[in-house]
Amino acid sequence: MAYKLSKWDLSQLYSGYDSPELENAFDMIEEQVASFEGVRNKLTPDISTEQFMDVMKADETSTRIANKLYSFAGLSFTADTQDQKAQALQARVMQFLAENQNRTLFFSLWWKELDDANAKRLMDVSGDYRYYLEAMRLYKPHTLSEAEEKIINLKNVTGVSALGNLYDSITSRYMFKLKVGGKEKEMTAGELYSYRYSTDPAVRAASYQSQFKVLAEDGNILGQIYQTIVRDWHSENINLRKFKNSIAPRNLSNDVPDEAVEALLSVARKNTGIFQRYFKMKAKHLGMKKIRRYDIYAPLAASKKTYDWNTAVNMVLDAFQGFSPKVAELAKRVFDQNRIDSEVRKGKRGGAFCWGFLPEETPYVLVNYQGNSREVATWRMNSVMPFMPCWRSITAPTPSILHCRWQKQPPPLQKWS
């Protein structure tokens, strides 16, 4: 099978913005949440294990529908940040899910406050849900009252989350100009970035300068967005939730102890000399007295070889085959099911990511492929990520039930079979 650069196929989630299946998802979540609200008065310390497991299963059912709905909206927006229908759907979904999350917030608050003995009693019979339940209780010192949590959920939709989407919309429409081979070309950010790896020092410098020239035109706006997001993070997590520093909430969500991150940073600081020595050696190898900002990614070997998409895909699949035939089979599904967006185009978000929405489903992968050897090598090393449970969290300050069910103990490969 020959592979071609293409967009991904989101119709496997929902057939379109106005599809009956999409509207039905909203109705299903509404019904699930309304039913879930009925368990509020049953949440007592001595709740039976049978009732508790019914609650957990109901929670998972609604989360599955919500993840699929949120993913369709988010992936649609990512594929074209200038599409007004995608923008409108994403705003609608985020508002809808925040409102419904507030209606079910009582469960996570009850669970965090439950005494240790009864929490252990229920976790001992919770099976795959145990890690989710353990992780949720870690947030207890940083959880506010129900009224305060509801306010934060709602303000995030039209506040910090909206600013993030606004930033993507603004920066994804930028086009840059660069002289290549004596001719001026207009290109996207992804195309421009590839020239940072040019063997020509002048081209590398021109790539950076072209980028910052365009960014400077909106510098005040982008700066205000950035500052507002940073202040929002500090206000919520330091002032309200009482985390000890700004990185602590991220460490908690990543299930990494603060001490581990601090040890890593401490060792890195003590060894900055090694980092500096590397760049001094690189400057010498490039024939420069001092390396410039433009030369950080300069290649040490001159190579202009490129690889078409079909060749690159088969190289990656061959690498997986050598590692594990089963992993190669799973990786092939991403391409065969058309769940990868590989082409470069205006309006599409830059960079690359994997987006999973259900543990047993093939995830969606975004890349901006341009054919150089660096991209093939990086992709080969990193593309194993689609086959791990990679999730976009839509809940705070409580981790996602589906995220946690498989994060600590990933499912065996046959979960995808």
Side-chain angles (χ1 to χ4, degrees), residues 129-315:
Y129 298 117
R130 185 183 185 103
Y131 178 51
Y132 165 64
L133 295 168
E134 289 176 342
M136 201 190 321
R137 285 177 69 83
L138 296 177
Y139 284 81
K140 180 179 178 178
H142 311 291
T143 300
L144 307 176
S145 69
E146 184 171 1
E148 289 170 319
E149 292 291 355
K150 287 181 175 181
I151 291 171
I152 289 176
N153 287 339
L154 291 177
K155 70 88 181 169
N156 281 347
V157 174
T158 53
V160 66
S161 297
L163 283 174
N165 291 335
L166 178 61
Y167 176 87
D168 285 342
S169 294
I170 292 174
T171 56
S172 295
R173 64 178 169 80
Y174 288 153
M175 296 298 290
F176 305 86
K177 294 180 179 180
L178 183 69
K179 277 192 175 181
V180 180
K183 295 182 179 180
E184 187 173 80
K185 292 179 62 178
E186 188 175 66
M187 58 190 71
T188 64
E191 292 171 305
L192 180 71
Y193 292 164
S194 68
Y195 288 97
R196 295 181 177 184
Y197 299 85
S198 171
T199 56
D200 186 338
V203 172
R204 294 197 298 268
S207 172
Y208 274 91
Q209 291 160 3
S210 175
Q211 177 197 4
F212 291 121
K213 180 181 179 181
V214 173
L215 292 176
E217 294 174 0
D218 285 337
N220 290 336
I221 296 173
L222 300 181
Q224 287 181 46
I225 291 175
Y226 179 77
Q227 291 176 44
T228 302
I229 291 174
V230 169
R231 286 197 297 267
D232 180 89
W233 182 270
H234 186 275
S235 296
E236 178 177 334
N237 292 296
I238 305 300
N239 296 343
L240 296 178
R241 299 195 184 281
K242 306 303 181 183
F243 282 96
K244 66 179 182 179
N245 54 45
S246 295
I247 198 174
R250 184 64 68 206
N251 294 342
L252 182 56
S253 66
N254 288 334
D255 195 18
V256 179
D258 290 339
E259 294 76 14
V261 176
E262 289 165 2
L264 175 66
L265 294 175
S266 176
V267 171
R269 292 189 193 99
K270 291 178 181 178
N271 290 277
T272 52
I274 298 175
F275 189 61
Q276 294 164 349
R277 181 168 172 257
Y278 164 78
F279 282 112
K280 288 177 181 178
M281 293 175 66
K282 183 169 185 175
K284 183 178 180 180
H285 189 85
L286 293 172
M288 298 178 165
K289 290 184 178 180
K290 187 176 182 180
I291 202 167
R292 307 170 300 171
R293 177 67 181 85
Y294 311 130
D295 306 314
I296 289 177
Y297 301 115
L300 295 177
S303 175
K304 295 184 178 180
K305 187 175 182 179
T306 58
Y307 303 84
D308 62 64
W309 178 247
N310 185 62
T311 301
V313 170
N314 283 289
M315 288 174 68

Side-chain angles (χ1 to χ4, degrees), residues 347-363:
K348 176 184 174 183
R349 202 186 105 172
F353 62 70
C354 155
W355 187 315
F357 58 100
L358 292 175
E360 68 277 8
E361 283 279 354
T362 305

Side-chain angles (χ1 to χ4, degrees), residues 359-408:
E360 68 277 8
E361 283 279 354
T362 305
Y364 283 86
V365 178
L366 179 140
V367 296
N368 284 272
Y369 186 73
Q370 296 171 73
N372 58 59
S373 57
R374 176 189 59 82
E375 290 181 320
V376 178
T378 303
W379 185 25
R380 181 184 290 182
M381 288 186 292
N382 293 340
S383 57
V384 70
M385 290 307 295
F387 316 109
M388 304 304 174
C390 44
W391 300 98
R392 295 242 172 166
S393 176
I394 59 173
T395 59
T398 302
S400 165
I401 187 172
L402 293 178
H403 180 173
C404 287
R405 279 191 65 180
W406 278 275
Q407 181 171 299
K408 197 167 188 178

